[in-house]
């Protein structure tokens, strides 16, 4: 099996890799695979680090069976008929990637999205989510410090590694503040780990809403805390996951008490948003900083102020709920939005090592099977058609007929 690690060409550039040099060397030694790496000046691991591990560097990927990337591949760089692994950002009908799906179909590409590689219980097998949550929480605090001037924090990207960041956290003197964190998966867990390491105390949702604190606290919400049945029936998590359109938001009490919101949920477009712009204009809307790790772009989003992604180079923009327009950051009459869509790229080597380990453990063995339900469920397109698991994208892709595919 010939596997190619492709150069990341999306702008802004991403320096993460699906497999590190040492992982490539181990795989070639222990598995029946040959790995080629497309030369790149932007990776967190240099060409020379791959070369030193005996990995072939090349600009020719045509003879590879499988091409591994991280972010979306620009349409003009797609090779026809290949199998691509990437975060395609098409499964929620994201408007900005519609042309990518068209091109993948037109070129007969077998597209496998990391986001839908799941086990039989629906649990994701491979993700950068924990690192996105870690950097998202760090950046939320950095933004609040910049906004208020009450403390100073370096950017995560400016620390050598997370150990150095933790050592700095131990010196922080934080003011009293209240942080609401949504989500209990990889993203939420990573964010909570950073808040813990900063010395911020976790409290229950009830305590968060009903007690006063003289120090920094956070609470972590799962879906039962911010959603309720429209008909008043008892909340059931499984029902919410399968029928989110039956639910309404009950997040209001939390936006009346929180200074910072860190959003780390996987949002279904049928589910209610946490709040609308009208609510953001209310005098009791207290949140000053929103770190939207989910980064779904409005209007198809859980956060209406996430009107565009931000970037590692320019991480924060302001949002004026009265006009619905973007403003400069850190203004008293606007809400600050941190919506970087490649947060793990602030910890690229740590994140890449973890991601590669997950790929080797959970995904690579499936590629050697004659039939893999895990792979089949994650194939979006094959032979110029959407597969049966992704027929709901038919209108998004502008198709009138859809093949069975995998």
């Amino acid at each position: 099996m010939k596997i190619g690690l492709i150069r990341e060409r999306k702008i802004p550039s991403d320096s993460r890799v699906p497999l590190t040099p040492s992982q490539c060397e181990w795989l070639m030694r222990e598995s029946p695979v040959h790995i080629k790496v497309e030369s790149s000046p932007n990776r967190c691991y240099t060409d020379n680090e791959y070369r030193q591990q005996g990995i072939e560097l090349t600009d020719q990927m045509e003879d590879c069976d499988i091409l591994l990337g991280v972010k979306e591949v620009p349409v003009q760089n797609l090779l026809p008929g290949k199998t691509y692994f990437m975060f395609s950002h098409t499964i929620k009908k994201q408007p900005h990637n519609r042309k990518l799906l068209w091109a993948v179909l037109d070129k007969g590409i077998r597209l496998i999205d990391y986001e839908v590689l799941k086990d039989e219980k629906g649990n994701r097998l491979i993700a950068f989510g924990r690192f996105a949550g870690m950097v998202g929480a760090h950046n939320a605090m950095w933004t609040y410090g910049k906004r208020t001037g009450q403390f100073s924090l370096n950017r995560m990207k400016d620390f050598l590694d997370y150990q150095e960041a933790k050592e700095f956290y131990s010196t922080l003197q934080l003011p009293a503040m209240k942080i609401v964190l949504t989500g209990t998966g990889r993203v939420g867990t990573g964010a909570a780990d950073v808040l813990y390491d900063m010395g911020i105390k976790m409290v229950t949702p009830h305590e968060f809403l009903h007690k006063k604190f003289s120090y920094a606290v956070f609470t972590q919400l799962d879906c039962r805390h911010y959603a309720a049945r429209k008909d008043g029936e008892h909340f059931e998590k499984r029902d919410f996951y399968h029928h989110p359109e039956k639910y309404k938001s009950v997040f209001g009490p939390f936006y009346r008490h929180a200074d910072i919101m860190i959003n780390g949920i996987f949002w279904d477009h049928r589910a209610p948003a946490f709040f609308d712009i009208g609510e953001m204009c209310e005098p009791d809307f207290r949140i000053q900083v929103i770190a939207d790790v989910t980064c779904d772009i409005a209007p198809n989003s859980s956060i209406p102020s996430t009107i565009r992604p931000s970037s590692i180079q320019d991480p924060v923009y302001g949002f004026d709920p009265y006009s619905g327009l973007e403003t400069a950051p850190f203004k008293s009459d606007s809400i600050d939005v941190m919506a970087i869509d490649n947060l793990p790229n602030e910890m690229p080597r740590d994140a890449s090592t973890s991601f590669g380990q997950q790929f080797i453990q959970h995904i690579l063995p499936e590629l050697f099977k004659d039939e893999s339900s895990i792979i089949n469920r994650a194939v979006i397109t094959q032979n110029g058609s959407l597969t049966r698991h992704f027929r709901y994208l038919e209108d998004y892709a502008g198709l009138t007929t859809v093949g069975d595919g995998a």
Side-chain angles (χ1 to χ4, degrees), residues 116-315:
V116 283
L117 286 164
K118 300 178 180 180
D119 63 19
E120 300 297 331
K121 296 181 179 179
N123 299 310
R124 286 184 63 180
L125 294 171
I126 183 166
F128 285 105
R130 179 172 179 269
F131 294 92
M134 292 173 70
V135 180
H138 180 99
N139 284 351
M141 297 298 293
W142 176 86
T143 303
Y144 191 74
K146 292 281 286 186
R147 180 185 179 92
T148 64
Q150 293 180 296
F151 61 93
S152 181
L153 182 63
N154 293 335
R155 291 285 300 283
M156 184 70 86
K157 68 180 181 63
D158 297 325
F159 289 107
L160 175 65
D161 53 25
Y162 187 62
Q163 182 58 41
E164 185 176 87
K166 283 178 65 175
E167 292 170 2
F168 185 84
Y169 294 163
S170 67
T171 70
L172 275 176
Q173 298 292 320
L174 296 174
M177 69 178 78
K178 299 178 82 172
I179 304 160
V180 60
L181 166 62
T182 60
T184 57
R186 285 185 175 92
V187 172
T189 300
D193 287 345
V194 165
L195 298 178
Y196 280 127
D197 289 341
M198 287 184 176
I200 302 173
K201 183 178 179 181
M202 184 177 183
V203 298
T204 68
H206 184 270
E207 290 172 327
F208 188 87
L209 296 177
H210 298 286
K211 292 182 67 174
K212 292 184 178 181
F213 301 92
S214 60
Y215 45 87
V217 299
F218 80 96
T219 195
Q220 187 171 13
L221 309 183
D222 66 25
C223 50
R224 63 191 167 95
H225 297 117
Y226 58 76
R229 291 267 304 208
K230 293 177 181 177
D231 60 10
E233 292 295 316
H234 181 69
F235 182 94
E236 292 287 347
K237 183 177 287 189
R238 182 179 294 273
D239 182 65
F240 175 71
Y241 289 157
H242 286 92
H243 303 286
E245 70 279 0
K246 296 180 179 180
Y247 290 76
K248 63 181 180 180
S249 173
V250 290
F251 186 75
F254 294 97
Y255 70 57
R256 296 184 183 99
H257 287 82
D259 302 295
I260 298 171
M261 178 183 184
I262 303 170
N263 181 29
I265 65 167
F266 177 86
W267 187 70
D268 188 308
H269 69 278
R270 299 171 296 163
F274 288 106
F275 41 80
D276 59 34
I277 291 180
E279 290 174 280
M280 297 179 76
C281 295
E282 295 294 328
D284 60 354
F285 189 91
R286 178 172 164 174
I287 296 172
Q288 301 175 59
V289 169
I290 299 175
D292 192 358
V293 183
T294 301
C295 201
D296 292 317
I297 306 303
N300 190 22
S301 66
S302 59
I303 304 286
S305 54
T306 306
I307 55 177
R308 66 169 177 86
S310 57
S311 66
I312 291 174
Q313 293 74 24
D314 191 13

Side-chain angles (χ1 to χ4, degrees), residues 14-27:
D14 196 296
S15 63
R16 290 172 291 171
V17 297
L19 294 169
T20 70
S22 61
Q23 289 168 345
C24 290
E25 188 278 330
W26 184 88
L27 281 173

